[in-house]
Amino acid sequence: MSDLTEPRIPAITAPPPLARLPMLQLILVGLQHVLLMYGGAVAVPLIIGQAAGLSREEIAFLINADLLVAGVATIVQSMGIGPMGIRMPVMMGASFAAVGSMVAMAGMPGIGLTGIFGATIAAGFFGMIIAPFMSKVVRFFPPLVTGTVITSIGLSLFPVAVNWAGGGSAAAQFGSPTYLAIAALVLGTILLINRFMRGFWVNISVLIGMALGYVLSGAIGMVDLSGLDNTPWFQIVTPLHFGMPEFHLAPILSMCLVVVIIFVESTGMFLALGKITDQEVTPRMLRRGLLCDAGASFIAGFFNTFTHSSFAQNIGLVQMTGVRCRSVTIMAGVFLITLSLLPKAAYLVASIPPAVLGGAAIAMFGMVAATGIKILQEADIADRRNQLLVAVSIGMGLIPVVRPEFFAHLPLWMDPITHSGIAMAAVSAVCLNLMFNVLGGAGRAAMSGHVHQH
C-alpha cells in the first residue's frame, strides 16, 4: 500500500523540549540564529522600501517593523500558542517568495505600500482558511520527495553564501583576496572548533567564527558605522504607520498564490527539521505550523511589513550545532523583538560585513543539503526511476538559481513559482513521485510502501 492510502504512524509525538541548556549558552546560541538570518530578514523591507521610493528613515521603520513581527512569529511558532505553532526550533522572517510581486505593486499607480499591506492581510487570511487542507499534503512527501526537496533547499541557498563570501553582490571588488580571507577565517574557525572541541564550544562555533571575522573586519576598516550616531536609541513600531491598508483584487490574488508557494516551501522545511530533531511531522503539527505562517502574514500587514514564512537558513544551524530545543529559537525571537525596539543595536548587527556571513553560510547551507542526502538514503535510490525523479527535480530547482530570467516570458502570475527553486523542486518531485510510484502500478506502489516504512 502506498503512502497516499496508508500514512505512517508517527513514532514520536511529543514536541522537542523547551529547555536543556544553561542560560548563557541559550543566549549565545539564540544570538547565532539571529546573526545568521538577520541579513535575509532585513533584505525584503529594504528592497520594497527602495522600490516604493521611501526615505532612509522610513525604510529603517520598515526594517524595525519586520524584526518585531519576525520575533513574535518565531516565539509563537516555537512555543505554540493556541492552535498556532509547530513547536519546533523554527525562525520566522519576511519571505522572499513575494518580493517580485511586491516590487511590481510598489510601482503601480494607486497601489503602493498601502495596497501591498492590504494584499498581505488578505493573503494571510486566505492562508489561515486553507492551512487545514494544505496540512494534509504531508502524505505526498515520502523520504524520496522530502530528501529531494531538502537537498534543493540547500543547493538553492548556496548562491547567497557565495555572494556573501565574495564581499556581497554589490561589492566593487567582488572576490578580492581580503573578502575571501575573512570568509575562510570564519569557515576555518567553525571547522576547527567542530574538529577539536566538544559540547558548549561546538554549540557556539558559528558565533565564535563570526565574532573573529567581525573583529578582523573592523581592524582593517571594513565595518561601516557611519550614521550610528544619528540612529535613535529607542523606537516603538506603531501599527498602520503608513495609513490604512487598501484592498485591490489583482494584488490580493497574486499574494494568495504567494501564500500557497510559502506553504509548499514551509512544508519542506518543517519535514527537514523533523528529521533533524528526530520528530515525525504529523498533519496536525503541519497545520499548526502553516497556521502560524499565515497568521504572521495577516498581522504583518497591520504592522507595516510583509508575508512571513519559516527561514531555511537556520535549518543548517540546528543540524550543525546539535542544539534542538525550542528554547533557543524562543530566545532568538526575544532578541529580534529587542532589536526592533533598539535601532542602534539593530544597526550594529546590520554592520556585519557580508564576507563574515558568507564564511558561516557555506557551512550552514551545506548542512541543509547534506540532511537531504541523508534522507534520500531511506528511499530506494538504486531504482532508475527514483534516480530520474531526484535528478530532474534538483535540476528544476536550480533553474531559478542559475538563470533567474529563464521563465521571463511566462505569465506574471507564475512568478512566485518559477522564481522559487524550492517550489519548483517540490512541485516536480511530488508530481514525478505520483507518476512513478503512486500511479505506476501495484508493484511500484508496493515497493514505495516498503521503502517508506520505518
Side-chain angles (χ1 to χ4, degrees):
M1 192 69 68
S2 76
D3 280 354
L4 285 178
T5 56
E6 191 174 293
R8 286 171 289 169
I9 298 173
I12 302 173
T13 57
L18 268 176
R20 63 167 59 154
L21 295 176
M23 181 55 68
L24 176 61
Q25 192 170 352
L26 194 65
I27 291 172
L28 293 176
V29 180
L31 183 59
Q32 275 186 149
H33 275 286
V34 172
L35 295 179
L36 186 63
M37 60 88 68
Y38 189 88
V42 304
V44 174
L46 185 63
I47 293 169
I48 304 305
Q50 290 173 343
L54 301 183
S55 66
R56 186 171 180 176
E57 291 75 17
E58 289 174 323
I59 292 176
F61 187 90
L62 275 185
I63 291 173
N64 287 340
D66 178 68
L67 294 175
L68 174 64
V69 174
V72 173
T74 296
I75 292 172
V76 173
Q77 190 72 279
S78 302
M79 181 180 292
I81 297 177
M84 294 185 180
I86 197 168
R87 297 178 183 174
M88 290 200 296
V90 177
M91 294 295 295
M92 299 282 291
S95 172
F96 277 89
V99 167
S101 299
M102 291 191 296
V103 167
M105 292 178 208
M108 291 180 184
I111 304 296
L113 270 184
T114 53
I116 293 174
F117 295 147
T120 300
I121 294 169
F125 183 73
F126 169 76
M128 288 190 285
I129 293 175
I130 68 169
F133 305 98
M134 288 292 293
S135 65
K136 300 182 186 301
V137 302
V138 70
R139 68 180 66 181
F140 294 97
F141 285 82
L144 179 65
V145 174
T146 303
T148 301
V149 173
I150 295 169
T151 302
S152 295
I153 291 173
L155 294 177
S156 67
L157 289 171
F158 255 110
V160 178
V162 172
N163 277 329
W164 283 347
S169 56
Q173 294 182 313
F174 181 84
S176 75
T178 302
Y179 295 141
L180 300 186
I182 290 173
L185 170 68
V186 175
L187 178 58
T189 301
I190 294 171
L191 295 176
L192 289 173
I193 292 174
N194 277 270
R195 169 62 182 85
F196 294 106
M197 306 186 83
R198 295 288 183 270
F200 172 78
W201 299 106
V202 171
N203 293 345
I204 63 167
S205 59
V206 175
L207 183 62
I208 294 173
M210 293 178 67
L212 287 177
Y214 188 83
V215 170
L216 177 60
S217 300
I220 62 177
M222 283 179 53
V223 177
D224 182 13
L225 296 178
S226 60
L228 178 61
D229 292 338
N230 299 326
T231 305
W233 280 103
F234 183 79
Q235 185 180 43
I236 295 178
V237 175
T238 53
L240 306 178
H241 177 80
F242 296 92
M244 290 296 293
E246 300 177 3
F247 300 92
H248 305 275
L249 182 60
I252 288 174
L253 293 176
S254 176
M255 294 297 280
C256 286
L257 177 60
V258 167
V259 165
V260 175
I261 302 307
I262 287 174
F263 280 1
V264 173
E265 294 179 348
S266 292
T267 298
M269 295 174 202
F270 293 150
L271 292 172
L273 267 177
K275 293 291 183 180
I276 292 170
T277 58
D278 297 323
Q279 179 162 5
E280 191 77 15
V281 177
T282 64
R284 179 176 179 273
M285 290 173 60
L286 185 58
R287 180 178 71 247
R288 293 178 62 91
L290 297 180
L291 273 173
C292 186
D293 277 10
S297 298
F298 179 77
I299 297 298
F302 292 102
F303 277 87
N304 322 290
T305 187
F306 314 104
T307 49
H308 274 55
S309 66
S310 308
F311 258 43
Q313 291 94 318
N314 295 81
I315 295 175
L317 188 57
V318 175
Q319 169 76 327
M320 186 161 190
T321 63
V323 179
R324 304 170 183 181
C325 59
R326 297 178 285 145
S327 299
V328 170
T329 47
I330 292 172
M331 178 62 70
V334 173
F335 275 126
L336 288 173
I337 295 173
T338 303
L339 287 173
S340 75
L341 300 174
L342 302 175
K344 279 189 184 294
Y347 195 101
L348 287 173
V349 175
S351 70
I352 298 174
V356 175
L357 294 171
I362 289 173
M364 297 299 98
F365 300 166
M367 288 297 287
V368 178
T371 299
I373 295 171
K374 179 183 177 183
I375 295 170
L376 282 173
Q377 295 174 356
E378 301 177 27
D380 184 14
I381 200 63
D383 184 274
R384 178 178 54 83
R385 280 173 285 193
N386 286 346
Q387 292 175 7
L388 192 59
L389 180 153
V390 175
V392 171
S393 299
I394 289 179
M396 294 296 289
L398 288 177
I399 289 175
V401 174
V402 177
R403 292 300 295 265
E405 71 277 16
F406 188 84
F407 297 108
H409 297 289
L410 294 182
L412 188 63
W413 65 266
M414 295 183 67
D415 277 4
I417 303 174
T418 58
H419 282 68
S420 169
I422 300 171
M424 291 287 290
V427 171
S428 173
V430 168
C431 291
L432 290 178
N433 185 59
L434 286 171
M435 183 174 73
F436 288 154
N437 294 326
V438 178
L439 305 177
R444 295 290 300 170
M447 181 187 299
S448 176
H450 173 73
V451 169
H452 302 326
Q453 295 299 318
H454 291 271

